[in-house]
Amino acid sequence: MPLEAVNDFVVKFANVNGSGSASANGMFAKSILRMGVPVAARNIFPSNIQGLPTWFEVRVTGAGHLGRRGGVDLMVAMNPQTWDRDIAEIEPGGYLFYDSTKPLPREKFRDDINVVGVPLTAICNAAYQLPRERQLFKNIIYVGALAALLGIELEVLETLLSEQFAGKERLIAANVAALKMGRDHVSENLQPLGLKVARADSVGDRIFVEGNMAAALGAVYGGATVCAWYPITPSTSLAEAFTGFCEDYRTDPDSGKARYAIVQAEDEIASIGVVVGAGWNGARAFTATSGPGVSLMTEFIGLSYFAEIPAVIFDVQRGGPSTGMPTRTQQADLLASAYAGHGDTKHPMLLPADPGESFEMAALAFDLADRLQTTIFVMLDLDIGMNEWLTKPFEWDPERKLDRGKVMTYEDLEAGKEFGRYLDVDGDGVPYRTYPGVHPTKGGYFTRGTSRNPYARYSEEGAVYVDNMERLLRKFDTAKALVPAPIARPAKRATREGVIYFGSSTPSMHEALETLETQGLHLDALRVRGFPFADEVFDFIAAHDRVFVVEQNRDAQLRTLLVNEGDVAPAKLVPVLNYDGSPITARFIAGAIGDLMTASGRVRAPEAAE
C-alpha cells in the first residue's frame, strides 16, 4: 500500500556536489515553512568542491519534531552513482522520484515502493541549449514537479524566487518558467502522491537560521570586538558571519571607521595567539575552529588557563580523528576541549542544543571569560552550525550590562587597595586583574606562563605551586554556578531509569522519549548544558539505578567526563553512541535504549505494558 501522510514525512534529495541543487532543495524546504508547516532540514555534503555525492534531507513535521526521524518516505534520486544505496533507504510503501528520460531495467527498482518518473533531462533538452542552463534548471523543474505531487502552492515558490533574485527580473521569469514546466508535466501525466503538504499555522514567529550565524550574532551582542581565525570546516561561516555583522553594527556611522579587528591569521596557532593577546589587553576576543584547530591551539589555551587571560573558542565539531570526516557531524571534542593543555588543566564548556541557544551562549561566553579569566569553549557541531534550524526569535534584554568580572580600577589602586594578580581575596578562586596602563605606578605585573606566587613573582617553590593549582580548582568549582544549568524532563511515571544527553541530540532525544513512553518504557531525562557539571547532574545519577548517556562519538566522552569529574561508578552509566557522521535519529535512540531496557529484564516488555 502506498504511504499516506499529511505534514508528516521525510523527503531526501540525492544529488551530485556542484550541480547547483543546494539552492533548489533549500527553496523546497522553505516553501513548506511558508505554508506554515515546520520542517527540519539537513545538508549532507562531501568535503570536495565538485563531483561527489551529496544529500539534502527535509523532514516535514507538523508535530514540530526537529530532529532526524530516520528512514525516507520520498527519495528524489538524481545521482546514478548512489542509486542502489538511495533506493534501499525508502520505507516500504514509500516513493521514488527519478529522471525517467532513459529507461532503467526492472531490477533497479523495488517491488514494495511506488515509482514516479519524470523525464527531466528530456524536458531540459527541449527548453535549453547551454549545458549549464540544462543542469541548473533541471533542479528547478523537479521542484515544480514535486510541488504538484505534494500540494505545495506554486505561488509560494514564486515568491521565494522573487526574493532570491530581487532586482533581476529575467532570472525570476526564467526560474518561474522552469517551475511551471515541472508542475505542468505532473498535472498532465501523473496523480498526486499519498504524501501531502497542507497549509497550517504551526511555524508562528520562529525563524530559520544556521547555528554559526546565530553564534556570530551572539558574539556581537556579547561585546566581542576581536576575531582571529583560520579557515576550517565547519566553522568558517561563523567568522564570516561575524565579519558581516561587524560591518553593519560595529562601524562608526559618522566616521566610517571600524570599531573592531578581524584577522585571518596564517594558521590556528597564530589565531589563538592574537585572541589571548587581545584578551590580556582587555578586549573581548574569540576564534572559531574545529577539532584539528583545538589540537594546534593547545599550548596557547594552557597559557590562557595558567596566566588567567580571558578567551572564547567556538568549536564547531566535526568527524575525527586527524582530518577524519570534515563535513560530517560529531560530538567528539569534549575531552580535547575540557582538558586542553599539558599538565593539569580544566576549561568550562557551554553546550547549546540549537541556534537559539547558540546565540544565548555565545553572548554568555564572553561574560564568563571575563568573570573567570580563562578560556571558555562554546561547543557547537556541524549539525547545529551549518544547518538551518527552526528556532524561536532571539531575545536580548536592552538593560543587560557586560560583566567584566573582577577588574581593579585606577580609583581602587589610588585608594591603596592591595593588588596581587593571583591573590584570592574572596575565596572563590578568582583574583583581581588590571587592564594595561590603568595606573602610572600601581597595578602592574609580569604576565607569565611559568609558576609564580600570588603577586605574580616567579617561584618554583612546591608549596607556592600547589597553592596556585588548588586556587585554580576553586575557580573551576565557582564556574559550576555560572555555566548554564541542566534541564530536567521527568518521566510520566516513577522510574529508576534515567538518560543524560546534550547538544544537537536534544530534539531526537525528546522524540525518542515520547516513542519509548508509548511502549511502556519510562525514563527521567536530564539535558546537560555546561561543564563543569552542576551538583544536580550527580544528584540525578545518584537517584537512578541506571543512566543511559546518549552522545555522538565512539568513546563515550561525556560519560568519561561524568565518571572522571563525579567519581561515578562506570557500570552505572550505559553508553548509547552514534558516530557515523550523520545527525543522530529518534529511531536510533528509541531502538537502542528500548532494546537495552527490555533485554535487561528490569522493565516490562512493550507488549506487557498497560
Side-chain angles (χ1 to χ4, degrees):
M1 289 290 292
L3 284 177
E4 294 188 2
V6 178
N7 294 348
D8 184 17
F9 54 89
V10 175
V11 182
K12 191 169 185 178
F13 297 83
N15 300 99
V16 176
N17 203 34
S19 64
S21 60
S23 177
N25 298 342
M27 181 176 66
F28 171 85
K30 290 174 183 176
S31 69
I32 299 171
L33 279 176
R34 291 289 180 94
M35 290 182 65
V37 182
V39 300
R42 300 294 193 280
N43 190 15
I44 306 167
F45 58 98
S47 56
N48 75 334
I49 296 174
Q50 187 167 335
L52 287 182
T54 184
W55 293 269
F56 190 87
E57 186 176 290
V58 180
R59 182 178 185 183
V60 183
T61 171
H65 294 304
L66 300 182
R68 290 184 69 222
R69 184 197 72 185
V72 176
D73 301 313
L74 168 59
M75 177 66 71
V76 182
M78 296 290 113
N79 186 357
Q81 292 179 328
T82 60
W83 177 273
D84 293 339
R85 171 180 172 183
D86 297 330
I87 301 304
E89 287 191 58
I90 303 173
E91 298 281 287
Y95 301 85
L96 166 67
F97 178 100
Y98 80 109
D99 181 355
S100 61
T101 300
K102 293 182 179 180
L104 294 173
R106 180 180 177 83
E107 59 266 22
K108 298 299 290 183
F109 301 93
R110 281 170 45 191
D111 293 335
D112 62 341
I113 62 174
N114 304 282
V115 178
V116 181
V118 175
L120 298 168
T121 299
I123 294 171
C124 287
N125 290 346
Y128 307 105
Q129 299 300 315
L130 298 177
R132 186 59 176 167
E133 279 188 330
R134 290 174 173 176
Q135 182 183 53
L136 293 176
F137 284 115
K138 181 178 180 179
N139 303 321
I140 303 301
I141 291 171
Y142 73 59
V143 171
L146 290 170
L149 290 167
L150 297 171
I152 299 172
E153 298 167 7
L154 193 67
E155 295 78 13
V156 172
L157 288 162
E158 291 177 353
T159 300
L160 286 168
L161 285 170
S162 297
E163 293 171 359
Q164 181 178 348
F165 298 113
K168 301 176 181 178
E169 298 304 321
R170 290 181 61 186
L171 282 176
I172 295 172
N175 279 275
V176 169
L179 273 178
K180 291 181 177 178
M181 290 180 201
R183 178 203 61 181
D184 292 347
H185 178 87
V186 168
S187 299
E188 295 167 7
N189 298 280
L190 298 169
Q191 295 295 318
L193 305 185
L195 309 176
K196 298 187 183 301
V197 178
R199 182 169 279 281
D201 188 20
S202 301
V203 174
D205 62 352
R206 285 181 288 178
I207 58 177
F208 202 48
V209 64
E210 293 179 354
N212 281 352
M213 180 173 289
L217 186 60
V220 173
Y221 275 77
T225 57
V226 177
C227 169
W229 64 292
Y230 184 78
I232 181 172
T233 302
S235 71
T236 296
S237 60
L238 197 160
E240 291 174 339
F242 181 75
T243 301
F245 289 134
C246 283
E247 291 171 352
D248 291 338
Y249 304 123
R250 293 223 186 286
T251 301
D252 187 270
D254 298 323
S255 66
K257 291 183 178 180
R259 301 300 187 190
Y260 58 91
I262 299 174
V263 180
Q264 183 176 325
E266 61 266 31
D267 55 31
E268 287 90 348
I269 300 172
S271 65
I272 188 62
V274 171
V275 169
V276 171
W280 171 85
N281 203 44
R284 291 194 155 187
F286 74 91
T287 189
T289 190
S290 193
V294 172
S295 299
L296 289 168
M297 295 176 184
T298 296
E299 187 171 1
F300 264 118
I301 296 169
L303 174 65
S304 165
Y305 175 79
F306 202 51
E308 299 181 67
I309 300 171
V312 172
I313 297 176
F314 292 97
D315 180 0
V316 190
Q317 300 166 89
R318 69 189 205 183
S322 186
T323 305
M325 297 192 293
T327 59
R328 298 293 190 263
T329 195
Q330 280 190 8
Q331 298 172 321
D333 293 348
L334 296 186
L335 293 176
S337 299
Y339 302 131
H342 52 277
D344 296 319
T345 55
K346 292 186 179 184
H347 311 290
M349 298 186 297
L350 311 184
L351 308 172
D354 55 33
E357 286 195 341
S358 297
F359 170 80
E360 296 166 4
M361 293 188 187
L364 174 63
F366 293 95
D367 277 351
L368 294 183
D370 275 351
R371 285 192 68 176
L372 295 167
Q373 300 170 29
T374 195
T375 294
I376 305 294
F377 283 90
V378 184
M379 305 296 290
L380 293 89
D381 58 38
L382 185 145
D383 186 23
I384 295 175
M386 294 193 70
N387 285 317
E388 291 179 301
W389 289 52
L390 196 60
T391 189
K392 64 181 182 180
F394 305 148
E395 297 180 356
W396 188 260
D397 180 0
E399 302 300 319
R400 177 173 169 176
K401 305 295 183 184
L402 301 184
D403 184 350
R404 301 311 298 258
K406 295 182 179 181
V407 179
M408 199 165 288
T409 65
Y410 173 89
E411 290 75 18
D412 294 330
L413 295 165
E414 190 68 10
K417 189 172 183 179
E418 181 184 17
F419 175 69
R421 176 61 185 94
Y422 302 107
L423 188 65
D424 184 6
V425 298
D426 300 318
D428 61 0
V430 183
Y432 279 83
R433 61 176 173 144
T434 57
Y435 295 139
V438 67
H439 192 282
T441 60
K442 301 177 181 179
Y445 63 94
F446 191 89
T447 303
R448 62 175 84 244
T450 49
S451 181
R452 71 278 155 159
N453 69 13
Y455 296 91
R457 299 188 185 101
Y458 177 74
S459 172
E460 290 189 7
E461 293 182 28
V464 171
Y465 173 80
V466 169
D467 180 71
N468 186 59
M469 294 297 286
E470 289 182 349
R471 179 184 58 79
L472 289 170
L473 276 182
R474 289 198 300 276
K475 181 168 75 169
F476 193 70
D477 191 63
T478 295
K480 285 183 182 181
L482 301 178
V483 301
I487 296 178
R489 184 182 172 112
K492 293 180 178 178
R493 294 183 184 178
T495 177
R496 297 290 297 176
E497 307 280 344
V499 62
I500 290 176
Y501 58 100
F502 73 102
S504 63
S505 303
T506 299
S508 293
M509 184 70 246
H510 290 174
E511 184 178 359
L513 288 170
E514 294 177 8
T515 299
L516 290 167
E517 285 177 2
T518 65
Q519 299 171 0
L521 304 176
H522 297 271
L523 298 99
D524 294 326
L526 188 75
R527 177 160 71 93
V528 175
R529 299 198 300 156
F531 176 79
F533 303 122
D535 292 338
E536 296 97 303
V537 175
F538 300 110
D539 292 342
F540 178 88
I541 295 172
H544 294 85
D545 295 334
R546 179 173 57 171
V547 176
F548 300 99
V549 184
V550 176
E551 48 188 313
Q552 299 181 62
N553 58 69
R554 184 196 70 181
D555 293 343
Q557 294 188 24
L558 177 62
R559 177 177 177 270
T560 299
L561 283 174
L562 291 167
V563 169
N564 193 49
E565 296 295 321
D567 197 24
V568 178
K572 193 171 189 178
L573 302 180
V574 181
V576 177
L577 308 174
N578 174 83
Y579 50 92
D580 63 2
S582 58
I584 197 168
T585 68
R587 286 185 180 179
F588 169 81
I589 297 172
I593 294 180
D595 289 346
L596 289 166
M597 292 181 76
T598 55
S600 70
R602 296 167 66 183
V603 296
R604 293 172 298 168
E607 59 269 21
E610 294 178 1

